[in-house]
Amino acid sequence: MKQIETKKITGKIKVVTGLHIGAGNDKVEIGGMDNPIIRNPLTQEPYIPGSSIKGKIRSLLEWHLNKLGTDGKPCSCGNADCKICRVFGSANKSKDGDKAKGPTRIIVRDAKLSNDWADKFNEGKAIVEEKSENSLNRITAEANPRPIERVVPDVTFDFEILYRIIDTGDNGETDKKYFDAVVIEGLKLLQDDYLGGGGTRGNGQIEFVELKDENGKEISL
């Protein structure tokens, strides 16, 4: 088994509607934010974890490819010819042997603030908003407001995906075929869906811009 090529996609994630990637908060102070966004603990800059991007793409592809089990759990069939397991990895061993499937092909980096937006953030520009949402008691019509943090529209994050093409006996042809069928298709699905929390309430619409491959060639979705 040999890695014979590495494909790369770089570009930016542009926030179209307020983006909320939750950090979780086990301890909420009086008057505090109970739904904060995730931030770099050293700089306090918001960022998008690679795990959030990768997980959402995988989830959308499982729906798209009819690979979601009846129990709602991620696909873990372990088949060497399963697009999901081959590209994203599986906890189960391959039914055709680990050599046939090989390691996870896709690597998704954390998306940090683009340089121009990092400069604006450090200069004190407000790129994060506090949005109030209400849950409504259907009987009393009483509203229960709760604030959430969101990155405001137009902010961009640097984006990078690496895709490993491995020769498992077919000169990497299967992996090359899955690059467009899985990775590019997954980006399209994500752009048409949403990222982060509250997507059905208007949050999380994003756009991939300035996408290029490892040779600097533009990629269109």
Side-chain angles (χ1 to χ4, degrees):
M1 185 179 296
K2 179 182 179 182
Q3 183 171 330
I4 57 177
E5 187 180 346
T6 300
K7 297 188 71 65
K8 181 165 71 171
I9 300 175
T10 58
K12 298 181 186 299
I13 295 174
K14 180 181 179 181
V15 178
V16 178
T17 63
L19 176 66
H20 175 80
I21 306 289
N25 196 349
D26 295 332
K27 181 180 179 182
V28 180
E29 299 178 358
I30 296 176
M33 172 61 64
D34 62 348
N35 287 284
I37 58 171
I38 192 165
R39 298 172 181 262
N40 182 316
L42 297 179
T43 65
Q44 292 303 301
E45 294 179 5
Y47 72 97
I48 306 175
S51 58
S52 296
I53 303 168
K54 182 179 179 182
K56 186 58 186 280
I57 290 175
R58 176 173 182 154
S59 175
L60 291 171
L61 282 165
E62 286 170 338
W63 280 98
H64 182 67
L65 298 172
N66 195 27
K67 295 293 291 185
L68 190 66
T70 55
D71 58 2
K73 294 181 179 179
C75 176
S76 58
C77 66
N79 291 323
D81 60 352
C82 171
K83 295 177 182 178
I84 298 296
C85 291
R86 187 164 184 135
V87 173
F88 292 92
S90 169
N92 288 349
K93 289 187 176 182
S94 171
K95 293 179 181 178
D96 302 316
D98 286 339
K99 184 176 180 181
K101 186 177 68 177
T104 301
R105 302 308 197 267
I106 192 170
I107 301 170
V108 184
R109 306 291 192 198
D110 287 350
K112 66 177 185 178
L113 276 178
S114 301
N115 288 336
D116 55 341
W117 282 101
D119 290 342
K120 293 175 182 178
F121 177 80
N122 293 324
E123 291 167 1
K125 181 177 177 62
I127 67 171
V128 175
E129 66 177 353
E130 181 178 311
K131 178 178 181 287
S132 292
E133 296 187 345
N134 293 314
S135 60
L136 188 67
N137 185 305
R138 269 47 171 186
I139 305 299
T140 66
E142 181 180 358
N144 179 30
R146 63 170 190 168
I148 66 169
E149 276 192 319
R150 305 194 310 176
V151 177
V152 300
D154 294 329
V155 173
T156 60
F157 296 83
D158 290 337
F159 171 72
E160 180 178 292
I161 282 182
L162 298 177
Y163 183 77
R164 302 182 286 196
I165 295 177
I166 297 173
D167 181 8
T168 57
D170 61 353
N171 293 317
E173 291 304 316
T174 301
D175 288 346
K176 291 177 183 177
K177 179 174 64 177
Y178 286 175
F179 179 73
D180 285 340
V182 178
V183 180
I184 299 299
E185 183 64 25
L187 295 180
K188 292 178 182 177
L189 292 171
L190 178 53
Q191 186 169 259
D192 290 339
D193 204 88
Y194 64 87
L195 183 62
T200 59
R201 303 191 302 275
N203 300 338
Q205 183 182 0
I206 58 101
E207 180 183 2
F208 292 104
V209 296
E210 301 177 23
L211 293 184
K212 296 181 180 179
D213 66 12
E214 66 278 4
N215 299 312
K217 182 180 179 181
E218 292 185 3
I219 298 174
S220 299
L221 298 182

